[in-house]
Amino acid sequence: MRYAVFTSSANGLILADKIRNNMSAVVDIYCHENMPPREDVQSYSRLSTLLKDIFNKYSGLIFIMATGIVVRTIAPLLESKLTDPAVVVMDEKGQNIISLLSGHVGGANDLTLKLARKLGGNPVITTATDINYLVAPDVVASKLGLYPVSKEGIQVLNSALLRGETVEYFVDEETPCSRSYITKLRKNGIAAHLYSKAELERVIKTTKGYKAIITKHSLPADESVLYLKPRKLVAGIGCRKGTSSVLIMKALTSACGAIGWGPERVDELASSVVKANEQGLLSVGKKLNKQVSFCENDALEKQIEAYGLQESSFVKQTIGVGNVSEAAAYCCVAHGVLALPKTKYEKVAVALVWEK
């Protein structure tokens, strides 16, 4: 994951450092230009101007300032609960940590709880299902890399849960990793059924009750059904010349394991056009039956600039661009969220990006 922290005071900067030092994620810190400059902190003059450029480039935005300032600043940028990033607000002592926006799909509630544990603060969460200890389907979607369809269906099913009704979960057996979804649901205390597409169509038409269905297909619309569609997951891969398929597969397996999946969950592999003839990489793509996309340097450079990606001077001298794994993964989605930052293995670097 990749987060941004915003502050404008000395105490806020101390807290921002604490957040960065205690999070197992990439954390960029932005501080108002009235503070003394630091090499590891990016400065801004107007928060509203900064956010126009970076609002959707992070998994979550953490503001160390008054809630009113944040509300007024982000209001013009909001689009949908399905696409807006998680937004968390806290005071400069970290006493009260507020889940402000995208609590479920964006993961702001989970981020708030995590920050509260790290900082010893009080988590402030107001979503009805959470305070009633109910597992909402859109929270399940967020945890499992799924996209809820439709937005209206989220409210219908969550309201049903609050009335004490039950939501049944089904998994389409034709959806990749279908049995893994069953296992993950059960680990979250949710019983699920594995059905064929035809069986699901019959269930939708002939049975009553509320249903959450994990499927890659477009099935009949029904107000009592929420579809959970798998998000695209791209693995960006950089490797040394001549790296074997064994080492690449080992690195990819470890990287996917770090986010709770196997390499079969990946939808596409991506790298630099310089690696287009790497037999090890091509072999892994063939073994997994996944497309391998090779990106031109100018396309990689655009992603590096757009997402503010860190560059390696050695890699830049070698192939002409300083970031391959993260930039290549971002090239393959319309808009991406970093699932795993560039992670180095033996002769291989892997980054994972979810399509938002």
Side-chain angles (χ1 to χ4, degrees):
M1 304 296 267
R2 188 172 181 224
Y3 301 113
V5 182
F6 306 89
T7 187
S8 59
S9 68
N11 286 335
L13 190 53
I14 292 171
L15 185 58
D17 285 331
K18 189 174 181 180
I19 291 170
R20 178 154 65 184
N21 293 335
N22 283 279
M23 296 288 283
S24 56
V26 176
V27 178
D28 295 332
I29 298 175
Y30 295 85
C31 190
H32 192 271
E33 63 185 6
N34 64 6
M35 298 295 297
R38 275 176 37 182
E39 289 186 0
D40 62 338
V41 173
Q42 301 178 58
S43 64
Y44 66 88
S45 57
R46 289 183 61 85
L47 185 60
S48 57
T49 302
L50 171 65
L51 288 177
K52 286 179 183 178
D53 293 331
I54 67 172
F55 187 69
N56 284 302
K57 295 177 183 177
Y58 291 92
S59 305
L61 309 178
I62 303 166
F63 295 87
I64 306 173
M65 58 187 67
T67 304
I69 295 173
V70 178
V71 169
R72 291 186 179 93
T73 305
I74 68 172
L77 306 175
L78 305 184
E79 294 182 358
S80 167
K81 66 190 298 179
L82 299 180
T83 57
D84 291 332
V87 176
V88 174
V89 184
M90 67 181 72
D91 58 84
E92 64 178 31
K93 291 186 178 181
Q95 292 177 331
N96 294 296
I97 303 168
I98 305 167
S99 176
L100 185 67
L101 184 73
S102 294
H104 285 179
V105 177
N109 289 358
D110 281 346
L111 178 57
T112 295
L113 293 171
K114 183 182 294 184
L115 288 167
R117 288 194 297 269
K118 300 287 186 182
L119 304 175
N122 174 45
V124 181
I125 295 174
T126 58
T127 43
T129 50
D130 292 79
I131 64 172
N132 284 284
Y133 305 103
L134 298 169
V135 181
D138 49 337
V139 172
V140 173
S142 179
K143 291 180 181 295
L144 271 58
L146 301 164
Y147 183 84
V149 180
S150 66
K151 184 171 69 173
E152 292 75 19
I154 295 173
Q155 185 60 47
V156 171
L157 266 65
N158 287 352
S159 295
L161 285 173
L162 291 168
R163 293 194 303 269
E165 301 192 54
T166 300
V167 173
E168 282 193 275
Y169 282 77
F170 299 83
V171 180
D172 180 352
E173 64 183 13
E174 295 180 24
T175 298
C177 302
S178 59
R179 294 191 180 276
S180 294
Y181 286 117
I182 292 284
T183 300
K184 290 179 180 295
L185 287 168
R186 287 175 179 168
K187 286 182 178 178
N188 282 274
I190 299 171
H193 313 281
L194 193 63
Y195 278 17
S196 68
K197 179 173 179 285
E199 288 172 330
L200 288 172
E201 290 177 336
R202 177 182 58 77
V203 166
I204 294 167
K205 291 177 180 178
T206 62
T207 64
K208 296 181 179 181
Y210 297 92
K211 307 169 189 69
I213 301 177
I214 298 175
T215 181
K216 67 176 183 178
H217 292 118
S218 294
L219 294 170
D222 189 296
E223 64 177 10
S224 65
V225 178
L226 180 68
Y227 294 108
L228 306 178
K229 301 295 186 80
R231 294 180 184 271
K232 183 178 181 180
L233 180 62
V234 182
I237 299 176
C239 62
R240 295 184 189 177
K241 186 176 181 180
T243 302
S244 70
S245 62
V246 173
L247 285 181
I248 295 173
M249 181 63 83
K250 182 179 179 181
L252 180 60
T253 301
S254 296
C256 291
I259 67 166
W261 287 99
E264 67 279 358
R265 178 60 183 84
V266 171
D267 297 290
E268 185 174 351
L269 308 179
S271 191
S272 163
V273 69
V274 176
K275 303 296 179 181
N277 294 316
E278 284 292 338
Q279 293 306 305
L281 186 53
L282 293 170
S283 177
V284 168
K286 185 176 181 180
K287 182 176 181 179
L288 293 173
N289 193 28
K290 306 296 182 182
Q291 177 178 329
V292 185
S293 298
F294 296 101
C295 309
E296 298 287 348
N297 279 9
D298 59 347
L300 297 176
E301 288 284 6
K302 287 180 181 178
Q303 301 303 321
I304 290 169
E305 181 179 356
Y307 287 91
L309 304 178
Q310 293 185 349
E311 296 188 79
S312 161
S313 56
F314 172 77
V315 173
K316 192 163 189 173
Q317 290 174 1
T318 305
I319 67 169
V321 62
N323 186 306
V324 172
S325 57
E326 292 174 334
Y330 278 120
C331 280
C332 298
V333 294
H335 181 72
V337 174
L338 195 63
L340 181 76
K342 178 177 70 176
T343 304
K344 294 181 180 179
Y345 303 93
E346 184 180 356
K347 298 184 179 181
V348 181
V350 181
L352 300 173
V353 169
W354 291 111
E355 184 164 40
K356 197 166 185 180

